[in-house]
Amino acid sequence: MDIKKMGQTFKDMRESLQLPLKAFDTENLSYQTITAFEAGKSLPKLDKLEFALKVLGIDLTSFLDVVENQNYYQRYGRVFRSLREQRGFETTDFTDLGLSPLMLDLFEEGKIMPPLNKIDDALQKMHIPLSDFSFFLNNGSEEVILALFHKLDYADCYSNFELIQQLYDEAKNQPDFYYFSLAAKACLEIGLTENEAEEVTTFLFGLDDWTLPDIYCYIHVAQFMTTKALRSFTRDFTKHPYFYEYRPTARKLVTQAVLETCFTLVERDEFMAAIGILERVKDLLLPRDEYSRLSYLFTKGYYIYKKEHNDDGVNQMEEVIRMIKNLGDTALYQKFVKAFNSIR
């Protein structure tokens, strides 16, 4: 890397903060070292450079991004600045989060990308959900991957195999949408091969934190997973309530994922595994919103009918369908009608 360019960048930052050279004259550093650096004559040792950058309020990675003029993040910075200014926050209001005014200025100019957890902390301080920030980043539209999963959900719900095939064909050769393509393929008659099912299972097992697209993917491919994998994933969904406690969309998807697992296990006559999951999530779902409660009751009715072959389960499913229709939730209504018709 060009030492002269590094030195000039450092000097520009120091002068923009109106910091004199004597601010760097400490037992760890000397102003002569900084003078030589700014003149492009020598590069300080790494520990001394990091110390000098700390005085400026910027980390080494961000500094090098500015030196290399990596303007990859311009839209992120512009959206953040707009939201910050609308809410009356100054760049000095985030120092308690480890974001110096210099770092925020450079971020808003599109020159650096601070750690994502710090951006999230700053958004929380302004009472802005990360989902809203993402919404504005995408010009007021959904993230592409979420929009695709919503289309797939709709197509699967109404058995629109032409649209499902179209979504699969468009995604299958795009590496960034590979797992979406497998989710779409799982909804087609051809389904997933054993290798594909194993591949997507391995991918999902590797996740420490689940995002909404990850859960959507699981919902569509669950029928091709082993019983052992299904039980493991369900434990994952239910052991971190903070993920869905105050996020209605996440709660709805987790509910759908858990109950989709139960449907799959019931279809395999794995009744003990299915009832074990239903009992474990009972206290999580029944006291919640109507979506969670009715989804649980429908799945329990499905279990009763398939295991005991009596009309109690059928009557419970029919009652839930009637209630959902009255609530006007057409998507959920269509989902359950489709499941109900499959057993009649």
Side-chain angles (χ1 to χ4, degrees), residues 57-271:
I58 189 171
D59 60 79
L60 179 60
T61 300
S62 298
F63 174 71
L64 294 178
D65 278 347
V66 178
V67 173
E68 295 178 354
N69 195 28
Q70 302 287 359
N71 293 324
Y72 299 144
Y73 316 113
Q74 290 185 351
R75 179 151 186 79
Y76 286 83
R78 283 200 302 270
V79 170
F80 185 91
R81 173 184 285 165
S82 175
L83 294 170
R84 175 181 64 76
E85 291 177 346
Q86 287 174 34
R87 284 156 180 76
F89 283 83
E90 302 293 334
T91 56
T92 53
D93 292 331
F94 302 92
T95 53
D96 58 317
L97 305 177
L99 287 169
S100 69
L102 176 61
M103 283 190 74
L104 276 181
D105 283 339
L106 294 171
F107 171 48
E108 292 180 353
E109 290 169 10
K111 294 179 179 177
I112 67 168
M113 175 64 88
L116 289 176
N117 65 310
K118 292 193 180 295
I119 295 175
D120 190 24
D121 289 344
L123 292 170
Q124 288 187 42
K125 185 167 186 173
M126 296 188 290
H127 305 294
I128 299 170
L130 189 58
S131 57
D132 286 356
F133 182 63
S134 177
F135 180 78
F136 291 118
L137 278 177
N138 289 282
N139 293 307
S141 60
E142 289 182 301
E143 292 181 49
V144 173
I145 189 65
L146 283 178
L148 286 173
F149 270 115
H150 288 163
K151 281 186 180 180
L152 179 59
D153 233 20
Y154 171 86
D156 187 42
C157 191
Y158 288 91
S159 301
N160 187 338
F161 296 110
E162 184 178 347
L163 178 54
I164 296 173
Q165 184 69 54
Q166 179 186 333
L167 291 169
Y168 170 63
D169 289 339
E170 291 175 353
K172 64 183 180 182
N173 294 320
Q174 300 186 51
D176 290 345
F177 297 97
Y178 178 65
Y179 291 105
F180 170 78
S181 74
L182 292 185
K185 189 181 179 190
C187 300
L188 295 170
E189 188 175 346
I190 55 174
L192 298 183
T193 66
E194 187 175 334
N195 286 340
E196 288 170 336
E198 186 175 334
E199 187 176 1
V200 73
T201 300
T202 301
F203 164 71
L204 293 173
F205 264 130
L207 299 175
D208 290 324
D209 299 299
W210 289 71
T211 65
L212 298 185
D214 297 330
I215 303 177
Y216 268 121
C217 182
Y218 172 85
I219 289 167
H220 290 290
V221 304
Q223 60 184 308
F224 294 96
M225 293 181 174
T226 66
T227 297
K228 181 179 179 181
L230 292 175
R231 296 175 74 168
S232 177
F233 285 131
T234 305
R235 283 192 293 272
D236 262 5
F237 293 140
T238 56
K239 73 181 180 182
H240 297 305
Y242 65 84
F243 175 68
Y244 55 83
E245 188 76 33
Y246 304 108
R247 300 173 65 199
T249 302
R251 184 165 65 243
K252 188 173 182 178
L253 281 183
V254 168
T255 299
Q256 193 177 339
V258 170
L259 299 182
E260 185 65 36
T261 301
C262 292
F263 272 103
T264 299
L265 292 172
V266 167
E267 284 300 308
R268 296 176 184 176
D269 293 336
E270 299 271 5
F271 296 114

